[in-house]
Amino acid sequence: MTRTTGSGPVLSADQLSIIFDGKDAAGHAVEVRACNKVSLDLHAGEIVALVGESGSGKTTLARAFARIFAPDEGEIRFHGERITGRPKRSFYRHVQLVYQDPFASLNSLKTIRHILGRTIRIHKPELTRSEVTAQILQLLEMVALTPAEDYIDRFPSSLSGGQRQRISIARALAVEPDVILADEPTSMLDVSIRLDVLNLLDAIRRERGVTILYITHDIASARYVSDRMCVMYSGELVESGPTEEVVSNPRHPYTQLLLASAPDPSRTKPAEPGDTPDVDEPADPSQAISGCRFNPRCPAVMDRCTAEKPPLFTVGEQQVKCWLYDGVEAPTRARSTDEEHRP
Amino acid sequence: MTRLLEVSDLDVVYLGLTDEGNVRACADINFTLERGEILGIAGESASGKSTLLTAVTRLQQAPAVTPKGSVRFYDAGDSEGVDLIAADEKALRRYRWSDISIVMQSAMACLNPVTRLEAQFADALRAHDRSLNRAQIRQRTADLLAMVGIAPQAMGKFAHELSGGMRQRALIALALACDPDLIVMDEPTTAVDVVMQRQILNQILRLQHELGFAVLFVTHDLSLLLEMADRIAIMYGGRIVEIGQARQIADDPQHPYTRGLRNAFPSLTEPRRERHGIPRSPPDLRKLPAGCAFEPRCDESVAACAAVRPELLDIGPCLAACHVRAAERGVAPLPTARPATEVIA
């Protein structure tokens, strides 16, 4: 795969759907759209946060980007080129996935030297043994496991969760990738060490220009590290925009609900317990819902929401999939075809 | 306020099955809980917080033992109290569920998968009041479910037919069944998504306001506790290192670990700035240092910290176990870390 330079996105999903066979509540076979017509561009050197509840399809989207799932509809593009049918190995030289659970993603029978060395040898077979060792030491230093000589011959079992996650990140960096897809990289870690893993991702982006997709259910950490934020709900992208815009001025009622629900250390216990509207559980992607998938939980639901699926509307710098923004600020049917973003 | 629970000098030890010997998961735990109060206990994994809950409720199982300390529970109008640690199973039965109930993290694992909700409520209700007839039990079950916002029809369902949030709420309703004075909650919202978590927390606060029970709430999420607890205890390496009003823990934390933890949660409203976690990893309870367990990660430590373990002292705004903080506030001088000659040299 050739790398083309240009201003276009490094990696993009274009109207991507991933469909699984599932069963509805009554046990009948249904198609489950874990991702439904999602379009998302990742540009060089940016950190994009993908935020959503469990079951919203964020991990499925990451796995589609990592080619673990083939698209059922739509396309994944790398530097503007379709990747379907292209060899996977050369793709993985540019795009790497970091998994959530550092206790499951490292082979516990192998040393760090083997775990990192294997990736280097696969992708750079021309290197000699001492060159591979030099690279491993360099990677360990990059992820702040120093002195690197102390770590290289250890087994994952002798490392803490945070250290293991650093090894997973080092393994992703071994191929000098353009893109790292980080799927909840901190959710298995103790809170006191999460921030430093996020700071490490930020340093990797700044120093090496790596594009990072940061997937999380923790919207506060997403705000901390990302430039752009995309919110997923029930398999669909419902809002995206510059992080500060989305957090300070959320447009979609779901984003508003998510932000109002997230714990914020700057708030303390109210004198009187507040009255909370009872909101239903998130929609299961196997559930058939006509119109907007958020309408059963939406406090601002209108007749139109149950009848017609909203397109993406552009509001300022944000894009929102909600009928509330039809006619607001000269709407364009933004990215319904997605043509204008393509090189 | 009147006292409900008093934990004194409590130790919990996991008896060693290996050469590494016994592990003291909780050490010298002291705290009190007033009637109607919400006390949050925050700590990272392996800080001893869940061990403490099972010891307080006497739900611990071998190899965990409590070699030392007492947990005194004061029933309404009982000024003497009863020591739950010393009580035998038969005596404990009187307190279980009707005075103290528990809500666990995993509702699916707590609810019986093969009986309908109704039968599980009936079990709990009948065990404590044999005079109840079928109709009364159904009525009480419907009332309890209504308190947590579940329709009465749900009592005919099995646990797997309910969503995660519904199951967790059913468990809270079940804990309320016998009108307890104390509900112990072990990460009750960790398994549900953030929107549902907010609803459940608000529901707990509302019920607590109406019914007046006290709550002992354990979680790793300090930001959650800041929003709901009256007081917060911070655990580290099996010990309480700071305990104070939620407001104080939020605005003016004292122990360096609490400060680190407080700073480890990015805010949604404060301006964005670079933050740092706490360097290095939490301690291994099998190999605790002689001095302060936090010393290897602490950026304020002095020589004494590695040598002498700090006691939990009243330092003014709160109780904290930190030599540096105690010396700063003139509560206790810094202990001499080494033999006097070395200090002079």
Side-chain angles (χ1 to χ4, degrees):
Chain A
M1 194 172 299
T2 50
R3 277 177 74 171
T4 48
T5 43
S7 55
V10 182
L11 192 64
S12 58
D14 182 9
Q15 295 289 303
L16 178 84
S17 297
I18 303 286
I19 302 169
F20 297 121
D21 294 330
K23 282 179 180 167
D24 65 9
H28 301 297
V30 287
E31 70 173 27
V32 178
R33 290 180 166 262
C35 276
N36 192 13
K37 297 192 171 62
V38 173
S39 292
L40 175 62
D41 293 344
L42 304 176
H43 293 270
E46 70 173 349
I47 299 184
V48 177
L50 187 60
V51 180
E53 298 170 68
S54 35
S56 62
K58 54 194 194 301
T59 293
T60 302
L61 180 57
R63 292 187 175 182
F65 271 132
R67 299 186 63 183
I68 292 172
F69 301 137
D72 291 296
E73 292 170 6
E75 289 294 339
I76 302 276
R77 291 201 170 92
F78 181 68
H79 286 292
E81 289 178 41
R82 289 179 50 176
I83 57 165
T84 315
R86 298 295 189 97
K88 280 190 175 173
R89 182 166 286 187
S90 58
F91 178 74
Y92 290 138
R93 209 161 287 167
H94 301 289
V95 179
Q96 284 279 313
L97 183 62
V98 172
Y99 292 92
Q100 177 173 4
D101 186 352
F103 295 89
S105 65
L106 302 176
N107 186 339
S108 54
L109 299 176
K110 303 290 187 187
T111 60
I112 303 306
R113 184 191 294 274
H114 179 94
I115 290 168
L116 296 181
R118 186 155 186 265
T119 311
I120 297 171
R121 282 195 306 274
I122 288 173
H123 290 282
K124 299 173 187 169
E126 69 284 1
L127 295 185
T128 65
R129 186 185 288 248
S130 62
E131 283 170 331
V132 170
T133 302
Q135 287 221 345
I136 296 170
L137 292 172
Q138 204 190 335
L139 285 168
L140 288 171
E141 268 161 36
M142 211 180 298
V143 296
L145 290 175
T146 49
E149 290 78 8
D150 287 1
Y151 287 94
I152 189 165
D153 288 315
R154 287 169 72 172
F155 287 91
S157 57
S158 71
L159 302 179
S160 69
Q163 290 171 334
R164 285 183 212 213
Q165 200 56 289
R166 285 168 191 273
I167 297 289
S168 318
I169 294 171
R171 179 172 58 184
L173 285 173
V175 303
E176 297 172 43
D178 299 333
V179 181
I180 289 180
L181 308 163
D183 188 4
E184 304 242 19
T186 62
S187 65
M188 302 285 287
L189 307 179
D190 269 319
V191 284
S192 68
I193 50 184
R194 285 181 189 175
L195 272 182
D196 289 323
V197 171
L198 295 182
N199 288 341
L200 174 63
L201 291 178
D202 189 45
I204 289 167
R205 180 270 295 269
R206 270 187 286 108
E207 287 159 24
R208 310 174 70 86
V210 178
T211 304
I212 295 171
L213 181 68
Y214 171 58
I215 296 168
T216 183
H217 62 268
D218 177 3
I219 200 164
S221 77
R223 178 193 181 222
Y224 176 74
V225 78
S226 69
D227 310 310
R228 257 192 324 132
M229 190 181 278
C230 302
V231 181
M232 275 192 90
Y233 181 79
S234 198
E236 296 180 355
L237 210 57
V238 295
E239 179 161 359
S240 64
T243 296
E244 279 306 292
E245 290 293 313
V246 174
V247 171
S248 59
N249 199 0
R251 305 284 186 170
H252 197 284
Y254 173 64
T255 316
Q256 293 168 357
L257 181 67
L258 201 59
L259 279 161
S261 301
D264 191 336
S266 11
R267 286 191 291 236
T268 45
K269 188 186 173 186
E272 290 279 313
D275 240 355
T276 39
D278 247 5
V279 192
D280 279 335
E281 309 266 335
D284 185 327
S286 68
Q287 232 173 300
I289 296 171
S290 65
C292 170
R293 294 197 62 83
F294 187 60
N295 80 57
R297 301 173 84 189
C298 185
V301 64
M302 307 175 286
D303 288 345
R304 193 176 191 182
C305 305
T306 54
E308 237 183 310
K309 218 173 194 26
L312 270 175
F313 293 103
T314 299
V315 185
E317 289 181 85
Q318 281 146 272
Q319 301 201 299
V320 195
K321 201 173 219 170
C322 176
W323 284 120
L324 285 175
Y325 301 94
D326 188 12
V328 176
E329 293 179 56
T332 49
R333 278 208 154 207
R335 307 216 321 176
S336 57
T337 57
D338 225 30
E339 229 86 56
E340 69 268 39
H341 284 273
R342 302 285 159 220
Chain B
M1 281 213 205
T2 49
R3 182 140 305 173
L4 181 65
L5 194 73
E6 189 172 77
V7 178
S8 314
D9 301 321
L10 185 71
D11 273 16
V12 186
V13 173
Y14 287 94
L15 294 177
L17 301 168
T18 63
D19 300 342
E20 281 166 323
N22 300 343
V23 176
R24 204 144 65 122
C26 292
D28 297 326
I29 302 293
N30 282 287
F31 68 85
T32 59
L33 183 67
E34 307 295 326
R35 284 189 172 271
E37 187 184 29
I38 302 182
L39 175 66
I41 299 179
E44 299 180 78
S45 37
S47 63
K49 57 191 195 302
S50 292
T51 300
L52 175 60
L53 276 201
T54 48
V56 166
T57 49
R58 282 292 305 274
L59 290 170
Q60 66 190 21
Q61 292 182 335
V65 293
T66 35
K68 178 164 110 20
S70 66
V71 175
R72 201 155 272 281
F73 180 80
Y74 298 90
D75 216 343
D78 175 8
S79 57
E80 288 290 297
V82 59
D83 182 6
L84 298 179
I85 299 294
D88 60 19
E89 261 313 311
K90 203 169 157 227
L92 283 172
R93 224 181 131 71
R94 187 172 104 62
Y95 297 97
R96 292 203 193 281
W97 227 311
S98 53
D99 287 311
I100 304 174
S101 63
I102 188 160
V103 178
M104 301 273 198
Q105 182 173 349
S106 162
M108 196 63 212
C110 292
L111 294 170
N112 187 334
V114 296
T115 59
R116 296 176 198 279
L117 272 190
E118 186 182 2
Q120 298 177 54
F121 277 82
D123 268 351
L125 291 166
R126 261 209 205 97
H128 294 272
D129 187 354
R130 297 204 163 272
S131 68
L132 291 174
N133 64 34
R134 221 189 144 106
Q136 285 170 316
I137 284 175
R138 283 187 69 95
Q139 185 54 47
R140 177 80 179 133
T141 304
D143 292 346
L144 286 165
L145 288 174
M147 276 191 221
V148 295
I150 300 180
Q153 295 86 318
M155 73 168 85
K157 295 200 170 187
F158 292 96
H160 70 264
E161 295 178 287
L162 305 174
S163 67
M166 288 252 273
R167 266 180 236 146
Q168 206 63 49
R169 290 200 262 180
L171 213 55
I172 292 170
L174 200 53
L176 292 169
C178 302
D179 204 8
D181 293 324
L182 170 62
I183 303 183
V184 173
M185 300 188 177
D186 188 3
E187 309 239 13
T189 59
T190 311
V192 297
D193 71 77
V194 64
V195 176
M196 190 47 60
Q197 164 172 298
R198 168 67 50 191
Q199 280 183 55
I200 292 176
L201 290 185
N202 282 337
Q203 215 143 35
I204 292 171
L205 286 178
R206 204 172 61 234
L207 289 166
Q208 193 269 340
H209 201 74
E210 285 166 19
L211 305 172
F213 51 83
V215 180
L216 202 55
F217 194 104
V218 161
T219 177
H220 67 277
D221 190 348
L222 179 62
S223 60
L224 206 70
L225 284 185
L226 293 174
E227 284 188 51
M228 70 172 296
D230 297 308
R231 277 190 308 140
I232 295 173
I234 308 287
M235 286 191 76
Y236 190 79
R239 290 175 185 273
I240 293 179
V241 296
E242 179 163 355
I243 181 164
Q245 299 294 324
R247 185 84 258 166
Q248 173 259 319
I249 299 281
D251 299 341
D252 186 26
Q254 295 295 315
H255 196 282
Y257 174 64
T258 316
R259 290 182 180 180
L261 204 56
R262 174 70 186 79
N263 195 39
F265 292 94
S267 167
L268 280 167
T269 45
E270 288 163 17
R272 276 212 273 194
R273 61 180 168 87
E274 192 174 344
R275 289 165 181 266
H276 291 280
I278 305 173
R280 291 174 286 278
S281 314
D284 183 342
L285 289 173
R286 290 169 301 187
K287 293 172 236 158
L288 282 178
C292 173
F294 188 59
E295 187 273 338
R297 305 175 75 188
C298 185
D299 57 4
E300 296 185 65
S301 65
V302 295
C305 299
V308 184
R309 190 167 37 71
E311 299 292 326
L312 191 63
L313 297 175
D314 186 347
I315 60 160
C318 63
L319 302 181
C322 176
H323 293 313
V324 177
R325 216 43 82 233
E328 234 172 53
R329 295 192 170 265
V331 176
L334 277 181
T336 43
R338 295 162 206 288
T341 47
E342 256 190 63
V343 172
I344 292 160

